[in-house]
Amino acid sequence: MSTSAPNAPQDAAPGNWVDARAPAPAKPYLRLMRADRPVGVWLLFWPCVWGLTLVTGAEGYVLPNPGYVFLFLIGAIVMRGAGCVYNDIIDRDIDAGVARTAGRPLPAGQVSPKAAAAFLFALSLIGLWVLVQFNGFTIALGVGSLALVAAYPFMKRITYWPQAWLGLTFNWGVLMGWASETGGLAAPAFALYAAGVAWTLGYDTIYAHQDKEDDALLGVKSTALKFGEKTKIWLGGFYAVAFGLFCLAAALAGLAWPAFAGLALAGLHFAWQVWRLDIDAPDKCLGLFKSNVWIGLIVFLAFVAGAWPA
């Protein structure tokens, strides 16, 4: 028997820690910030660590600053949560019409819009505390990302490419990670940022295939609807571009050959995702989407390996 709560979102794992262990009054708020589905935290966190690791490798160090890694982890948790709360406030009427999202706290009536707004403010304050621990240029970058975050929920209403906007948003941490160590930006950071955008275009297109039937009925746009039966071709293209740009970033940062050997493993994982994709199997799409957490780890380890003293 499933241990998920009634009206729990379909992509929340049965028996997750929120359902099993969190205090009852906190559960709707933890679900609102997707604490029962931590994949999004990792997908936001890894680009930050990539940026940190790439710049430390370029400067002759092996591992990134652990204090900054911790700050970016806390930032990823609270800002991913804040983004989800904001997105749900804007999309609560759309979410009510989509099977996978109808059980979210706002459309299910478990949290009021006013309470959600107050929770969003609290999460944002924690995010602000994290941000001000960095240098001025990184703070400015962080503030600049808010325009991307604010616009994202509306993209699905006006373009078939909301996944591209998500890529611009979710990989901003690459730039912040690099800037936190250097106080500026350089070519390797821009190449890595572009790689992350292409990567997100791939994995979020896979994710969007879960909702394509409901989205079509509601008039919501996505790359899943745009590509349709040609999704595998597009996915292969996005992942090929991402792989090439990961390699370019490593080369521009002066990393050694082990970085490229490690990135080859990421390339194999990309190929496996394309091969396994079945756009008409929502469960398989969700599993492939979640597997991208491993891409984050593989790229991180590749950058560490490339910076290791010969």
Side-chain angles (χ1 to χ4, degrees):
M1 180 180 296
S2 171
T3 56
S4 293
N7 295 323
Q10 291 182 3
D11 53 354
N16 65 80
W17 76 272
V18 173
D19 290 346
R21 298 182 181 85
K27 287 182 179 180
Y29 293 93
L30 291 170
R31 294 186 190 119
L32 189 62
M33 66 180 293
R34 311 289 197 274
D36 53 345
R37 283 163 290 161
V39 173
V41 172
W42 291 111
L43 295 177
L44 189 62
F45 170 70
W46 281 124
C48 303
V49 177
W50 294 345
L52 273 175
T53 308
L54 191 66
V55 72
T56 52
E59 294 179 346
Y61 301 97
V62 175
L63 295 174
N65 183 322
Y68 283 178
V69 171
F70 176 75
L71 286 172
F72 278 121
L73 177 59
I74 299 301
I77 292 169
V78 298
M79 294 313 296
R80 185 261 190 157
C84 289
V85 175
Y86 171 71
N87 191 78
D88 284 7
I89 291 171
I90 300 298
D91 282 351
R92 59 188 183 275
D93 293 333
I94 290 176
D95 286 345
V98 177
R100 185 180 59 83
T101 59
R104 287 178 176 174
L106 276 166
Q110 299 167 356
V111 176
S112 70
K114 286 185 178 179
F119 187 47
L120 171 61
F121 181 72
L123 290 172
S124 299
L125 284 180
I126 299 172
L128 177 61
W129 174 82
V130 171
L131 184 61
V132 298
Q133 308 307 308
F134 297 107
N135 60 55
F137 186 80
T138 305
I139 293 172
L141 277 177
V143 172
S145 72
L146 295 179
L148 293 171
V149 174
Y152 171 68
F154 303 100
M155 292 298 109
K156 65 175 73 73
R157 295 165 168 83
I158 62 176
T159 177
Y160 279 99
W161 293 85
Q163 282 68 32
W165 200 266
L166 183 69
L168 294 172
T169 306
F170 250 55
N171 293 281
W172 199 256
V174 166
L175 305 180
M176 295 183 65
W178 184 281
S180 67
E181 289 284 4
T182 66
L185 294 172
F190 290 119
L192 184 56
Y193 177 60
V197 173
W199 173 53
T200 302
L201 267 166
Y203 72 63
D204 203 52
T205 296
I206 295 173
Y207 189 81
H209 271 287
Q210 298 176 94
D211 300 331
K212 60 189 175 185
E213 293 179 1
D214 288 330
D215 287 349
L217 290 172
L218 293 168
V220 174
K221 300 176 174 66
S222 73
T223 49
L225 288 173
K226 182 173 181 61
F227 302 152
E229 295 298 325
K230 296 181 179 179
T231 292
K232 277 200 175 189
I233 298 172
W234 281 91
L235 182 63
F238 292 142
Y239 281 164
V241 170
F243 174 72
L245 288 169
F246 281 132
C247 292
L248 176 61
L252 290 172
L255 299 188
W257 69 265
F260 303 96
L263 290 174
L265 295 177
L268 290 174
H269 196 293
F270 285 147
W272 174 80
Q273 288 186 51
V274 175
W275 174 62
R276 290 283 295 166
L277 178 65
D278 180 350
I279 62 173
D280 296 318
D283 289 346
K284 185 173 288 187
C285 289
L286 181 60
L288 289 176
F289 163 76
K290 289 181 175 180
S291 76
N292 279 277
V293 171
W294 292 106
I295 291 290
L297 177 61
I298 291 167
V299 172
F300 164 67
L301 293 176
F303 288 168
V304 169
W308 202 267

Short mmCIF file of all heavy atoms in Angstrom, two decimals, residues 255-307:
data_model
loop_
_atom_site.label_atom_id
_atom_site.label_comp_id
_atom_site.label_asym_id
_atom_site.label_seq_id
_atom_site.Cartn_x
_atom_site.Cartn_y
_atom_site.Cartn_z
N LEU A 255 41.95 22.45 -18.03
CA LEU A 255 41.94 21.20 -17.29
C LEU A 255 42.67 20.11 -18.08
O LEU A 255 42.73 20.14 -19.31
CB LEU A 255 40.51 20.76 -16.99
CG LEU A 255 39.65 21.72 -16.14
CD1 LEU A 255 38.33 21.07 -15.78
CD2 LEU A 255 40.38 22.17 -14.88
N ALA A 256 43.20 19.12 -17.35
CA ALA A 256 43.98 18.05 -17.96
C ALA A 256 43.06 16.96 -18.53
O ALA A 256 41.85 16.97 -18.32
CB ALA A 256 44.93 17.46 -16.93
N TRP A 257 43.69 15.97 -19.19
CA TRP A 257 42.94 14.95 -19.93
C TRP A 257 41.95 14.15 -19.09
O TRP A 257 40.91 13.72 -19.62
CB TRP A 257 43.91 14.00 -20.65
CG TRP A 257 44.73 13.11 -19.72
CD1 TRP A 257 45.97 13.33 -19.24
CD2 TRP A 257 44.29 11.86 -19.18
NE1 TRP A 257 46.37 12.31 -18.42
CE2 TRP A 257 45.36 11.39 -18.37
CE3 TRP A 257 43.13 11.10 -19.28
CZ2 TRP A 257 45.29 10.19 -17.67
CZ3 TRP A 257 43.05 9.90 -18.58
CH2 TRP A 257 44.13 9.45 -17.80
N PRO A 258 42.18 13.92 -17.77
CA PRO A 258 41.16 13.16 -17.03
C PRO A 258 39.78 13.82 -17.03
O PRO A 258 38.77 13.13 -16.90
CB PRO A 258 41.74 13.09 -15.62
CG PRO A 258 43.22 13.15 -15.82
CD PRO A 258 43.38 14.14 -16.93
N ALA A 259 39.75 15.14 -17.17
CA ALA A 259 38.46 15.82 -17.24
C ALA A 259 37.66 15.33 -18.44
O ALA A 259 36.45 15.07 -18.35
CB ALA A 259 38.65 17.33 -17.32
N PHE A 260 38.33 15.16 -19.58
CA PHE A 260 37.64 14.76 -20.80
C PHE A 260 37.26 13.28 -20.75
O PHE A 260 36.21 12.88 -21.29
CB PHE A 260 38.51 15.08 -22.00
CG PHE A 260 38.88 16.54 -22.07
CD1 PHE A 260 40.09 16.99 -21.55
CD2 PHE A 260 37.99 17.47 -22.57
CE1 PHE A 260 40.42 18.33 -21.57
CE2 PHE A 260 38.31 18.83 -22.60
CZ PHE A 260 39.53 19.26 -22.09
N ALA A 261 38.08 12.48 -20.07
CA ALA A 261 37.70 11.08 -19.86
C ALA A 261 36.44 10.99 -19.01
O ALA A 261 35.54 10.19 -19.28
CB ALA A 261 38.86 10.33 -19.19
N GLY A 262 36.37 11.82 -17.97
CA GLY A 262 35.18 11.85 -17.14
C GLY A 262 33.97 12.36 -17.89
O GLY A 262 32.86 11.81 -17.76
N LEU A 263 34.16 13.38 -18.71
CA LEU A 263 33.04 13.92 -19.48
C LEU A 263 32.53 12.91 -20.51
O LEU A 263 31.35 12.94 -20.88
CB LEU A 263 33.45 15.22 -20.17
CG LEU A 263 33.66 16.42 -19.23
CD1 LEU A 263 34.22 17.61 -20.00
CD2 LEU A 263 32.36 16.80 -18.52
N ALA A 264 33.42 12.02 -20.96
CA ALA A 264 32.97 10.96 -21.87
C ALA A 264 31.90 10.09 -21.21
O ALA A 264 30.97 9.61 -21.88
CB ALA A 264 34.16 10.11 -22.32
N LEU A 265 32.01 9.89 -19.89
CA LEU A 265 30.98 9.14 -19.17
C LEU A 265 29.65 9.88 -19.20
O LEU A 265 28.58 9.26 -19.32
CB LEU A 265 31.41 8.89 -17.73
CG LEU A 265 32.65 8.02 -17.54
CD1 LEU A 265 33.00 7.92 -16.05
CD2 LEU A 265 32.43 6.63 -18.13
N ALA A 266 29.72 11.20 -19.08
CA ALA A 266 28.49 12.00 -19.20
C ALA A 266 27.89 11.84 -20.59
O ALA A 266 26.67 11.72 -20.75
CB ALA A 266 28.78 13.47 -18.91
N GLY A 267 28.76 11.81 -21.61
CA GLY A 267 28.28 11.61 -22.97
C GLY A 267 27.58 10.27 -23.14
O GLY A 267 26.54 10.17 -23.81
N LEU A 268 28.11 9.23 -22.52
CA LEU A 268 27.48 7.91 -22.58
C LEU A 268 26.12 7.93 -21.87
O LEU A 268 25.16 7.30 -22.33
CB LEU A 268 28.39 6.87 -21.94
CG LEU A 268 29.66 6.52 -22.72
CD1 LEU A 268 30.54 5.58 -21.90
CD2 LEU A 268 29.31 5.88 -24.07
N HIS A 269 26.05 8.65 -20.76
CA HIS A 269 24.77 8.76 -20.05
C HIS A 269 23.75 9.49 -20.90
O HIS A 269 22.57 9.09 -20.95
CB HIS A 269 24.98 9.49 -18.72
CG HIS A 269 23.83 9.32 -17.76
ND1 HIS A 269 22.58 9.84 -17.98
CD2 HIS A 269 23.75 8.67 -16.57
CE1 HIS A 269 21.79 9.55 -16.96
NE2 HIS A 269 22.47 8.83 -16.09
N PHE A 270 24.18 10.53 -21.60
CA PHE A 270 23.28 11.23 -22.51
C PHE A 270 22.74 10.28 -23.58
O PHE A 270 21.54 10.27 -23.89
CB PHE A 270 24.00 12.40 -23.18
CG PHE A 270 24.21 13.60 -22.30
CD1 PHE A 270 25.35 14.39 -22.44
CD2 PHE A 270 23.29 13.97 -21.34
CE1 PHE A 270 25.56 15.50 -21.64
CE2 PHE A 270 23.48 15.09 -20.54
CZ PHE A 270 24.62 15.86 -20.69
N ALA A 271 23.65 9.50 -24.16
CA ALA A 271 23.25 8.57 -25.21
C ALA A 271 22.26 7.53 -24.67
O ALA A 271 21.29 7.16 -25.35
CB ALA A 271 24.48 7.88 -25.80
N TRP A 272 22.51 7.07 -23.44
CA TRP A 272 21.60 6.11 -22.81
C TRP A 272 20.21 6.70 -22.63
O TRP A 272 19.20 6.03 -22.88
CB TRP A 272 22.19 5.68 -21.46
CG TRP A 272 21.29 4.82 -20.65
CD1 TRP A 272 21.08 3.47 -20.78
CD2 TRP A 272 20.44 5.24 -19.56
NE1 TRP A 272 20.17 3.03 -19.86
CE2 TRP A 272 19.75 4.08 -19.09
CE3 TRP A 272 20.20 6.47 -18.95
CZ2 TRP A 272 18.86 4.14 -18.04
CZ3 TRP A 272 19.31 6.52 -17.89
CH2 TRP A 272 18.64 5.37 -17.44
N GLN A 273 20.13 7.98 -22.22
CA GLN A 273 18.83 8.62 -22.06
C GLN A 273 18.06 8.67 -23.38
O GLN A 273 16.86 8.39 -23.43
CB GLN A 273 19.00 10.03 -21.50
CG GLN A 273 19.41 10.11 -20.05
CD GLN A 273 19.41 11.54 -19.54
OE1 GLN A 273 18.44 12.27 -19.70
NE2 GLN A 273 20.51 11.96 -18.94
N VAL A 274 18.76 9.05 -24.45
CA VAL A 274 18.11 9.14 -25.76
C VAL A 274 17.61 7.75 -26.18
O VAL A 274 16.48 7.61 -26.69
CB VAL A 274 19.07 9.72 -26.82
CG1 VAL A 274 18.42 9.70 -28.19
CG2 VAL A 274 19.48 11.15 -26.44
N TRP A 275 18.44 6.75 -25.97
CA TRP A 275 18.08 5.38 -26.37
C TRP A 275 16.88 4.87 -25.58
O TRP A 275 15.98 4.22 -26.12
CB TRP A 275 19.28 4.46 -26.15
CG TRP A 275 19.00 3.01 -26.40
CD1 TRP A 275 18.60 2.42 -27.57
CD2 TRP A 275 19.05 1.97 -25.42
NE1 TRP A 275 18.42 1.06 -27.39
CE2 TRP A 275 18.70 0.75 -26.07
CE3 TRP A 275 19.40 1.92 -24.06
CZ2 TRP A 275 18.66 -0.47 -25.43
CZ3 TRP A 275 19.37 0.70 -23.42
CH2 TRP A 275 19.00 -0.48 -24.09
N ARG A 276 16.82 5.18 -24.29
CA ARG A 276 15.77 4.66 -23.42
C ARG A 276 14.46 5.44 -23.50
O ARG A 276 13.42 4.95 -23.05
CB ARG A 276 16.25 4.67 -21.96
CG ARG A 276 17.34 3.67 -21.65
CD ARG A 276 16.76 2.27 -21.52
NE ARG A 276 15.85 2.19 -20.38
CZ ARG A 276 14.99 1.18 -20.17
NH1 ARG A 276 14.90 0.21 -21.06
NH2 ARG A 276 14.21 1.16 -19.11
N LEU A 277 14.47 6.62 -24.07
CA LEU A 277 13.30 7.48 -24.03
C LEU A 277 12.09 6.85 -24.73
O LEU A 277 12.18 6.37 -25.86
CB LEU A 277 13.62 8.83 -24.69
CG LEU A 277 12.43 9.82 -24.75
CD1 LEU A 277 12.00 10.24 -23.34
CD2 LEU A 277 12.81 11.05 -25.58
N ASP A 278 10.97 6.86 -24.04
CA ASP A 278 9.67 6.50 -24.61
C ASP A 278 8.71 7.62 -24.23
O ASP A 278 8.28 7.71 -23.07
CB ASP A 278 9.20 5.16 -24.06
CG ASP A 278 7.85 4.73 -24.63
OD1 ASP A 278 7.19 5.53 -25.30
OD2 ASP A 278 7.46 3.57 -24.39
N ILE A 279 8.41 8.48 -25.18
CA ILE A 279 7.63 9.68 -24.86
C ILE A 279 6.20 9.37 -24.45
O ILE A 279 5.50 10.26 -23.93
CB ILE A 279 7.64 10.68 -26.03
CG1 ILE A 279 6.99 10.07 -27.28
CG2 ILE A 279 9.07 11.15 -26.33
CD1 ILE A 279 6.82 11.06 -28.42
N ASP A 280 5.75 8.13 -24.67
CA ASP A 280 4.39 7.76 -24.30
C ASP A 280 4.34 6.97 -23.00
O ASP A 280 3.31 6.39 -22.67
CB ASP A 280 3.75 6.95 -25.43
CG ASP A 280 3.59 7.77 -26.70
OD1 ASP A 280 3.19 8.95 -26.59
OD2 ASP A 280 3.89 7.25 -27.79
N ALA A 281 5.46 6.94 -22.27
CA ALA A 281 5.53 6.24 -20.98
C ALA A 281 5.92 7.24 -19.90
O ALA A 281 7.12 7.46 -19.66
CB ALA A 281 6.53 5.09 -21.05
N PRO A 282 4.94 7.88 -19.23
CA PRO A 282 5.26 8.92 -18.24
C PRO A 282 6.20 8.46 -17.13
O PRO A 282 7.08 9.21 -16.71
CB PRO A 282 3.88 9.29 -17.68
CG PRO A 282 2.92 8.95 -18.77
CD PRO A 282 3.48 7.74 -19.43
N ASP A 283 6.04 7.23 -16.65
CA ASP A 283 6.92 6.75 -15.58
C ASP A 283 8.37 6.67 -16.05
O ASP A 283 9.29 7.00 -15.31
CB ASP A 283 6.46 5.37 -15.10
CG ASP A 283 5.16 5.43 -14.30
OD1 ASP A 283 4.77 6.55 -13.91
OD2 ASP A 283 4.55 4.38 -14.09
N LYS A 284 8.56 6.22 -17.28
CA LYS A 284 9.92 6.14 -17.82
C LYS A 284 10.49 7.54 -18.02
O LYS A 284 11.68 7.78 -17.76
CB LYS A 284 9.92 5.36 -19.14
CG LYS A 284 11.32 5.13 -19.70
CD LYS A 284 11.31 4.22 -20.92
CE LYS A 284 11.01 2.80 -20.55
NZ LYS A 284 11.16 1.87 -21.71
N CYS A 285 9.66 8.48 -18.47
CA CYS A 285 10.12 9.86 -18.62
C CYS A 285 10.58 10.43 -17.29
O CYS A 285 11.62 11.10 -17.20
CB CYS A 285 9.02 10.73 -19.22
SG CYS A 285 8.66 10.42 -20.96
N LEU A 286 9.79 10.17 -16.23
CA LEU A 286 10.16 10.67 -14.91
C LEU A 286 11.47 10.06 -14.45
O LEU A 286 12.34 10.76 -13.90
CB LEU A 286 9.05 10.37 -13.91
CG LEU A 286 9.30 10.85 -12.48
CD1 LEU A 286 9.47 12.36 -12.42
CD2 LEU A 286 8.14 10.40 -11.56
N GLY A 287 11.65 8.77 -14.68
CA GLY A 287 12.90 8.12 -14.27
C GLY A 287 14.10 8.67 -15.01
O GLY A 287 15.16 8.90 -14.40
N LEU A 288 13.98 8.91 -16.31
CA LEU A 288 15.08 9.47 -17.09
C LEU A 288 15.38 10.89 -16.63
O LEU A 288 16.54 11.29 -16.53
CB LEU A 288 14.75 9.45 -18.58
CG LEU A 288 14.73 8.08 -19.25
CD1 LEU A 288 14.28 8.21 -20.70
CD2 LEU A 288 16.11 7.42 -19.19
N PHE A 289 14.34 11.66 -16.37
CA PHE A 289 14.54 13.03 -15.86
C PHE A 289 15.34 13.00 -14.56
O PHE A 289 16.34 13.72 -14.40
CB PHE A 289 13.19 13.69 -15.64
CG PHE A 289 13.23 14.90 -14.75
CD1 PHE A 289 13.72 16.11 -15.23
CD2 PHE A 289 12.79 14.83 -13.44
CE1 PHE A 289 13.77 17.23 -14.40
CE2 PHE A 289 12.84 15.94 -12.61
CZ PHE A 289 13.33 17.14 -13.09
N LYS A 290 14.95 12.13 -13.63
CA LYS A 290 15.64 12.06 -12.34
C LYS A 290 17.09 11.62 -12.49
O LYS A 290 17.95 12.01 -11.70
CB LYS A 290 14.89 11.10 -11.41
CG LYS A 290 13.56 11.62 -10.90
CD LYS A 290 12.90 10.62 -9.97
CE LYS A 290 11.62 11.16 -9.36
NZ LYS A 290 10.97 10.18 -8.45
N SER A 291 17.38 10.82 -13.51
CA SER A 291 18.74 10.31 -13.70
C SER A 291 19.73 11.42 -14.00
O SER A 291 20.95 11.20 -13.90
CB SER A 291 18.78 9.27 -14.82
OG SER A 291 18.71 9.86 -16.10
N ASN A 292 19.24 12.61 -14.33
CA ASN A 292 20.15 13.71 -14.64
C ASN A 292 20.88 14.23 -13.41
O ASN A 292 21.86 14.98 -13.55
CB ASN A 292 19.39 14.84 -15.34
CG ASN A 292 19.22 14.55 -16.82
OD1 ASN A 292 20.11 14.79 -17.62
ND2 ASN A 292 18.07 14.00 -17.18
N VAL A 293 20.44 13.84 -12.22
CA VAL A 293 21.23 14.13 -11.02
C VAL A 293 22.63 13.52 -11.16
O VAL A 293 23.63 14.10 -10.73
CB VAL A 293 20.51 13.60 -9.77
CG1 VAL A 293 21.42 13.71 -8.55
CG2 VAL A 293 19.21 14.36 -9.54
N TRP A 294 22.72 12.34 -11.80
CA TRP A 294 24.01 11.69 -12.00
C TRP A 294 24.88 12.46 -12.97
O TRP A 294 26.11 12.46 -12.83
CB TRP A 294 23.81 10.25 -12.48
CG TRP A 294 23.19 9.38 -11.43
CD1 TRP A 294 21.90 8.92 -11.38
CD2 TRP A 294 23.81 8.90 -10.24
NE1 TRP A 294 21.69 8.18 -10.25
CE2 TRP A 294 22.85 8.14 -9.53
CE3 TRP A 294 25.09 9.01 -9.71
CZ2 TRP A 294 23.14 7.51 -8.32
CZ3 TRP A 294 25.38 8.39 -8.51
CH2 TRP A 294 24.41 7.65 -7.82
N ILE A 295 24.27 13.11 -13.95
CA ILE A 295 25.06 13.96 -14.85
C ILE A 295 25.76 15.04 -14.04
O ILE A 295 26.94 15.34 -14.25
CB ILE A 295 24.16 14.60 -15.93
CG1 ILE A 295 23.65 13.53 -16.90
CG2 ILE A 295 24.90 15.70 -16.68
CD1 ILE A 295 24.70 12.95 -17.81
N GLY A 296 25.03 15.65 -13.10
CA GLY A 296 25.64 16.67 -12.27
C GLY A 296 26.85 16.17 -11.53
O GLY A 296 27.90 16.82 -11.49
N LEU A 297 26.74 14.99 -10.94
CA LEU A 297 27.85 14.41 -10.20
C LEU A 297 29.01 14.05 -11.13
O LEU A 297 30.18 14.29 -10.81
CB LEU A 297 27.39 13.17 -9.44
CG LEU A 297 28.45 12.41 -8.65
CD1 LEU A 297 29.07 13.30 -7.57
CD2 LEU A 297 27.87 11.15 -8.03
N ILE A 298 28.71 13.46 -12.28
CA ILE A 298 29.75 13.05 -13.22
C ILE A 298 30.56 14.26 -13.70
O ILE A 298 31.80 14.22 -13.74
CB ILE A 298 29.14 12.30 -14.41
CG1 ILE A 298 28.60 10.94 -13.96
CG2 ILE A 298 30.18 12.09 -15.52
CD1 ILE A 298 27.71 10.26 -15.00
N VAL A 299 29.87 15.33 -14.06
CA VAL A 299 30.58 16.53 -14.53
C VAL A 299 31.44 17.12 -13.43
O VAL A 299 32.59 17.51 -13.65
CB VAL A 299 29.58 17.57 -15.07
CG1 VAL A 299 30.29 18.89 -15.39
CG2 VAL A 299 28.88 17.03 -16.34
N PHE A 300 30.92 17.16 -12.21
CA PHE A 300 31.70 17.65 -11.08
C PHE A 300 32.98 16.83 -10.89
O PHE A 300 34.09 17.38 -10.77
CB PHE A 300 30.86 17.60 -9.80
CG PHE A 300 31.65 17.70 -8.53
CD1 PHE A 300 32.32 18.87 -8.19
CD2 PHE A 300 31.73 16.61 -7.66
CE1 PHE A 300 33.06 18.96 -7.01
CE2 PHE A 300 32.45 16.69 -6.50
CZ PHE A 300 33.12 17.87 -6.17
N LEU A 301 32.84 15.51 -10.88
CA LEU A 301 34.01 14.65 -10.68
C LEU A 301 34.98 14.76 -11.85
O LEU A 301 36.20 14.67 -11.65
CB LEU A 301 33.57 13.20 -10.50
CG LEU A 301 32.78 12.89 -9.21
CD1 LEU A 301 32.30 11.44 -9.19
CD2 LEU A 301 33.62 13.21 -7.97
N ALA A 302 34.45 14.97 -13.05
CA ALA A 302 35.34 15.15 -14.20
C ALA A 302 36.18 16.39 -14.04
O ALA A 302 37.40 16.39 -14.32
CB ALA A 302 34.51 15.23 -15.49
N PHE A 303 35.59 17.47 -13.57
CA PHE A 303 36.34 18.72 -13.36
C PHE A 303 37.37 18.55 -12.26
O PHE A 303 38.49 19.07 -12.35
CB PHE A 303 35.39 19.86 -13.03
CG PHE A 303 34.56 20.34 -14.19
CD1 PHE A 303 33.47 21.19 -13.98
CD2 PHE A 303 34.85 19.96 -15.49
CE1 PHE A 303 32.71 21.65 -15.03
CE2 PHE A 303 34.07 20.42 -16.55
CZ PHE A 303 33.01 21.25 -16.32
N VAL A 304 37.01 17.82 -11.20
CA VAL A 304 37.98 17.56 -10.13
C VAL A 304 39.14 16.75 -10.66
O VAL A 304 40.32 17.05 -10.39
CB VAL A 304 37.29 16.83 -8.95
CG1 VAL A 304 38.34 16.33 -7.95
CG2 VAL A 304 36.30 17.74 -8.25
N ALA A 305 38.84 15.71 -11.45
CA ALA A 305 39.89 14.86 -12.01
C ALA A 305 40.81 15.65 -12.92
O ALA A 305 42.05 15.45 -12.93
CB ALA A 305 39.28 13.68 -12.76
N GLY A 306 40.25 16.57 -13.67
CA GLY A 306 41.05 17.38 -14.58
C GLY A 306 41.95 18.38 -13.90
O GLY A 306 42.93 18.89 -14.49
N ALA A 307 41.62 18.70 -12.65
CA ALA A 307 42.43 19.66 -11.89
C ALA A 307 43.47 18.98 -11.01
O ALA A 307 44.31 19.65 -10.41
CB ALA A 307 41.54 20.53 -11.03
#
